[in-house]
Structures are given as C-alpha cells and as structure tokens.
Amino acid sequence: MKRKPIAGLFAESMAEAGVTTMFGILGDANIAFMSRMSQMPSVRTVHTRHESAAVSMAAGHARVTGRPALACVTSGPGLTHTMTSVVAACRANLPMVLFAGDTAAGGGFMGGLQEFDQRSFAELCGARFMRYQAGQDPRRVAAAAVASTLETGLPVLLSVPVDLLESEIEVGPGSVFDDTAPPATDGSPRPEVVAEWAGGLRTALAQARAPVLVVGAEAVRADAVGRISALARRTGAHLAVTYRAKGVLDEDPGCLGIIGALAHAADQSVLDDADLMVGFGADLTGFGAFGSRLFAGRQLEIGTESPSAPSVRSRAGAELCAALDRVLAELPHTAVESPAAPSREAAVRGDFDELPEPDDPGRVDPRSLMRKLDALLPDDAIVVVGAGHFWSFPIMYLPVRDRLFLYSIEFGSIGLALGTGLGAATAVQGARQVLVVEGDGGVMMGVQELETAVRSDIPVTLLVLNDAALGAEYHKLAGKSLAPDEAAYPDIDFAAVARSMGATGVAVTHLDDLAPAWGAVGSVRVIDARVSRKVTSRWYRRMYL
C-alpha cells in the first residue's frame, strides 16, 4: 500500500470518468484540487473571473455536448456567488459537477470566516449533494458524482473539506471502478399512459373545429415531428411550435410559427380563431407561451416540455410516439385540406406594418438588425440568447436554418448568456461559430469574462443589443404610466471595453455598419449595436402595454 494525495486522486478519477473541461477560480479551499486537475492531459482548464460564470460556462458546455462539465469553486462566498447559475442549471436539468472546497472538517479554517452550510445551499438550489468523508475512497466518490449527474440530469454539488482534500490516503493497486454497469432504467412505454394520451387526443380532435397542433422541444427530441405533421394532414389542423422548437417546421406551409407572446402579427388571427391547442412535448401555459392568458380555447398537453432526467425523457418520448401511432392508425389515410399559414416572410412583413421602423438617428431597429445578421451568420452557427426585453428579436427575426439556438432563461435571470456562450464555444472548439446575443444590462453583469475569452482563446462573437437601459423595466414602466427613464442608463461604449481587454470591438449605429463590423478580424469580437428603445417588442405590446 502507498499513500497518495486525495486531491490528486479526485483529479485523476474525474478525468477517467469522462470530464474533459473544468471552469473555475482558485481559492484557499479548492487550490489543491484545481491545480492538479489542470495537470490532467485530457482536461482543459478555463480560469474564469467570477464563480457564477464558471457555472454558467459549465452549463453551456453541457447544453452542447450532453456530457458533464466541471465547475470548481472555493468555500463560503466562492460557492454563494454561484447561486443564480446553479438554480438555472438545475431547472434546465444539465449534467454538471460543481466541486466546492469547504472549510475544514475539524473546524478552525480561517478562523471560521467562511463557514457555510453547503448541504442546505444545494438543497435550496435543487442540486444533488455529496460530501466527501474521512476514510472514503475519493476515486469512488468522484465516479459516483459523475454517474449521478448523468443518470438524473441534475447538477451535483460535491463538497470536500479542505483539510481532507490536502491530506493523503493509502491506496492499493488496481482500478476502483466496478466492472458491472448499473441496471438500466426501463424505458418502455407504460400502456396506461399511452391509452390515456391517445384517448384524450382522439376525443379532443373529434370535438374541435379549428385545432392547432403545437410541437415542443421534447417532441423534437423524441423524433415525433413527422408523426405530428401526419396528424395535421389527416385532420386539417394547423401546426405551430414553442420557442424551444423554433425552426423545426419552417418549411411546412401549414405551420404558424411560434405560439404565445412570440407569435407574429400575421399568425395571430389564425391562433385566435383556434378552438383547440394540443401541445406535444410542449408547455402551453408557461413562459413564452402564456396559454392561460393569450389563448381562450381548450388546451391539451401530451407529454411535457419541462426538463427531466434522461431516463424519464426517454420513456416520455416513447409514450408520446406510441400515443400518436395509435391515433394515426385509427384515422383515414386521406389528407384533409387546411388553410395555408402566412409565409414566414409575410409574417415578418406584417410585424413591420403593425409597427414601422422608427426615426431614431444613431439607433437601429433590432428587428431589421436581425434580418441583416441572417445573411452574415453561418447557417450552422450556435446562437446563445440571453434574457430581457431584447430576446424576442433574435427568436422572432433570426431564422434557424441549421443553427442551434440555446437559451439561458430557466430562472429568468439576465447576465448568464455570455458564460453560457463561452462554455458552448469550448465544447465545439472552433468547429462552429458561436454568437451570443445579450442586452447591455446583462453584459454588465459578466463583462469581465471577455478577458477570460481572450486569455483562454475561446472564439466567440458577442452582439450587444444596447438600448442604454434595463429594457424590460423601461417598457414595463411605460406600460404602467410610470417614469421609464428610471430604468435608463448612460451609454456604455462596449466596443471600447472589449478593446481594453484585448478583444475586437466595433460599434453599430446604422444598419450599414453591421457588415463591416461582422468582418472585423478577431477571435473574440464584440459588436456594440445601438438599438432603438422606440421599438417595443410584440411580446411586450401584447403582455404589458
């Protein structure tokens, strides 16, 4: 038997368990682990400027790969700084291990300055909690943490007291990993669920005059889109999507686009006339759809769009497909003609008829900016969209094509998009262009990570939709007949800020500026687009004005 550092065993085991990227900041309680993890040849280490960004980067990496990334923080405030990002990652069901050094198990570390109940923190955020105890084999604990997050889809907070982390343990020869895999979760459809869904769908369609079938993200994941399209052709129903399934039916002439507050004006009359909306793996009442406020007809959800553990998703997808197959088998094979939906171009033009471009010198219409951007952005780009008033503009006016759209909206927090985008960029390693679309308020909450991108050579383009305000609050204040300037701020020159950190920075004050700005040379680019506050999104005009 020989003695080995516990920190080194944790690092070796994390790498062996498949962790390829670590994001974090050094601190007293995690320095022993993080320094050793950085020496693993198969692991890339990104030293961030803020702990919250470390978690959002790990989340972005997981969104693209489906594999767990590692975030690493120190005790006390090192962990508490991550809270918003951890809650968002939990609600998105993202596989991740958050390695948190903790104060000494024996007490007295730093005079108790950073004492904090990490277990209660994890439980409050919705994460799973594991704590390393004296005498445990760190290799088994590390493997268990990775296995847990993969099985449940929930982040795992792995808490390791610093006095144990910086000690040694006796280990014997051979691998500590079990040769036998855990028993697989039964993913076969439950007959009673299939029967319930099929019966409810059959009855609802038989009673409907003008149904709309809504495809959600989980229907896409379950490969059920073709079945839903076939059901629409057999019943004369219109098709639509949630924002999370944006783009999957763009080529279908019967698709109305996105439902809810993100619907185009030209599609709205058809949606308003519908008497039934059926969501397949879709959330009809939650954020974005707001079905309880914006749709007066009957609603039926077959499955859910809420994130869940991978095993649960797999079974729900199989049940969704089985229910659709049962209903399709009972319907005549002849097509039923339904009115064509407005073309996507006509739908966009209708929005400009409803609210023309404003006369606002030095500011651009964000809708037109997105349309210009479409011609410049590669068809296979990854587009990360932050939260705020601005977010509807890329969703409504930037087509999907073969692009992957990622959102950092699960907790309704601004300021998470840049970290998410940097994590996504580390996952693709330059194989796809990564564009982050964020508001000026959100950028100010994490602008320091531009330096991380430059120092770590993470290629990313940050498009700041800069209205010199907290845009959401500005328009809501106006809708309440309060003083909107309460939410206005002085203009920040984000192009200059970017250049000060070694990135490329270009300002856009006219639509003709976008192409030269996009062509600017630089691995890390910031495009500071000055957008007009006179353009209130359709979302806000429908919901708040």
Side-chain angles (χ1 to χ4, degrees):
M1 302 288 283
K2 58 181 178 179
R3 299 182 68 80
K4 283 193 173 184
I6 287 176
L9 291 171
F10 266 116
E12 292 170 9
S13 302
M14 286 289 181
E16 187 175 341
V19 171
T20 61
T21 312
M22 175 177 67
F23 307 91
I25 301 180
L26 293 165
D28 287 310
N30 71 337
I31 191 170
F33 168 73
M34 195 168 175
S35 61
R36 285 175 172 83
M37 193 72 187
S38 298
Q39 296 168 16
M40 295 294 107
S42 62
V43 176
R44 179 182 184 183
T45 297
V46 177
H47 293 273
T48 66
R49 288 292 192 168
H50 196 281
E51 289 89 353
S52 180
V55 173
S56 62
M57 288 183 200
H61 191 281
R63 287 179 191 272
V64 173
T65 65
R67 295 287 305 173
L70 176 66
C72 187
V73 300
T74 191
S75 57
L79 179 61
T80 60
H81 282 165
T82 70
M83 187 170 195
T84 297
S85 293
V86 172
V87 173
C90 290
R91 295 193 179 186
N93 275 90
L94 295 172
M96 175 195 309
V97 175
L98 173 54
F99 188 104
D102 198 6
T103 51
F109 180 67
M110 297 177 66
L113 182 67
Q114 293 184 342
E115 294 286 344
F116 181 69
D117 185 349
Q118 294 192 350
R119 177 183 293 276
S120 294
F121 175 91
E123 293 173 350
L124 186 61
C125 292
R128 295 178 68 90
F129 183 77
M130 298 178 66
R131 185 170 178 84
Y132 178 71
Q133 307 286 346
Q136 288 182 317
D137 190 326
R139 296 169 294 183
R140 290 190 182 276
V141 174
V146 174
S148 174
T149 193
L150 282 171
E151 172 62 24
T152 64
L154 283 173
V156 172
L157 172 56
L158 176 54
S159 173
V160 184
V162 64
D163 54 340
L164 300 181
L165 184 65
E166 296 186 346
S167 63
E168 295 181 340
I169 191 171
E170 288 188 348
V171 296
S175 172
V176 299
F177 299 119
D178 293 331
D179 293 329
T180 55
T185 303
D186 181 12
S188 57
R190 293 166 294 182
E192 66 277 13
V193 173
V194 174
E196 178 186 351
W197 285 357
L201 177 59
R202 187 187 307 111
T203 300
L205 289 172
Q207 297 172 350
R209 169 187 53 82
V212 175
L213 310 184
V214 182
V215 175
E218 290 307 307
V220 178
R221 190 188 303 273
D223 199 22
V225 178
R227 293 174 171 88
I228 299 166
S229 296
L231 184 61
R233 289 192 296 272
R234 303 264 196 97
T235 59
H238 272 302
L239 289 163
V241 297
T242 65
Y243 76 87
R244 293 191 181 278
K246 165 182 164 66
V248 298
L249 290 169
D250 277 356
E251 304 305 316
D252 192 307
C255 183
L256 297 166
I258 302 174
I259 62 166
L262 292 159
H264 292 288
D267 299 322
Q268 196 58 53
S269 60
V270 182
L271 291 168
D272 289 343
D273 186 56
D275 62 343
L276 171 67
M277 190 174 289
V278 183
F280 296 94
D283 184 355
L284 300 181
T285 60
F287 183 77
F290 297 117
S292 56
R293 293 183 59 181
L294 299 178
F295 182 68
R298 182 181 176 187
Q299 298 175 59
L300 175 66
E301 290 188 5
I302 308 296
T304 177
E305 200 168 24
S306 299
S308 56
S311 57
V312 175
R313 282 175 166 170
S314 176
R315 184 170 66 181
E319 291 166 345
L320 172 60
C321 290
L324 283 163
D325 286 341
R326 183 173 297 189
V327 173
L328 285 167
E330 298 169 356
L331 290 172
H333 285 267
T334 54
V336 179
E337 185 176 354
S338 59
S343 71
R344 294 307 86 203
E345 180 61 30
V348 170
R349 286 200 306 269
D351 291 352
F352 282 86
D353 291 339
E354 186 181 63
L355 181 66
E357 286 199 19
D359 180 14
D360 196 358
R363 298 277 173 180
V364 299
D365 186 320
R367 301 169 300 176
S368 299
L369 185 73
M370 293 299 109
R371 303 194 74 196
K372 282 271 189 181
L373 177 62
D374 179 38
L376 302 169
L377 185 66
D379 284 354
D380 67 344
I382 296 176
V383 182
V384 179
V385 182
H389 170 257
F390 73 89
W391 94 310
S392 66
F393 300 124
I395 295 176
M396 293 180 68
Y397 304 106
L398 186 60
V400 171
R401 307 196 189 283
D402 293 321
R403 297 162 186 153
L404 173 64
F405 276 66
L406 303 177
Y407 308 103
S408 57
I409 193 64
E410 282 80 12
F411 194 34
S413 173
I414 69 173
L416 301 182
L418 179 55
T420 301
L422 293 177
T426 63
V428 297
Q429 300 184 30
R432 300 173 71 174
Q433 187 164 0
V434 176
L435 171 69
V436 177
V437 185
E438 179 67 288
D440 51 308
V443 171
M444 287 297 289
M445 291 188 172
V447 70
Q448 72 281 343
E449 301 309 328
L450 287 174
E451 189 278 333
T452 300
V454 172
R455 169 172 37 82
S456 303
D457 192 23
I458 304 175
V460 69
T461 298
L462 171 63
L463 175 61
V464 187
L465 297 189
N466 182 3
D467 63 357
L470 293 174
E473 286 67 31
Y474 181 92
H475 293 286
K476 289 174 183 176
L477 284 167
K480 297 176 183 292
S481 299
L482 299 172
D485 285 346
E486 184 90 8
Y489 289 85
D491 259 319
I492 299 294
D493 187 346
F494 287 102
V497 172
R499 291 192 295 269
S500 75
M501 297 189 190
T504 298
V506 187
V508 170
T509 60
H510 189 277
L511 287 176
D512 291 340
D513 298 336
L514 182 60
W518 192 261
V521 177
S523 171
V524 180
R525 299 181 300 175
V526 174
I527 300 175
D528 180 6
R530 310 297 175 88
V531 297
S532 175
R533 291 201 298 256
K534 294 181 179 180
V535 181
T536 307
S537 66
R538 284 206 84 241
W539 173 309
Y540 276 52
R541 281 181 278 136
R542 296 185 68 201
M543 296 290 293
Y544 305 118
L545 303 184

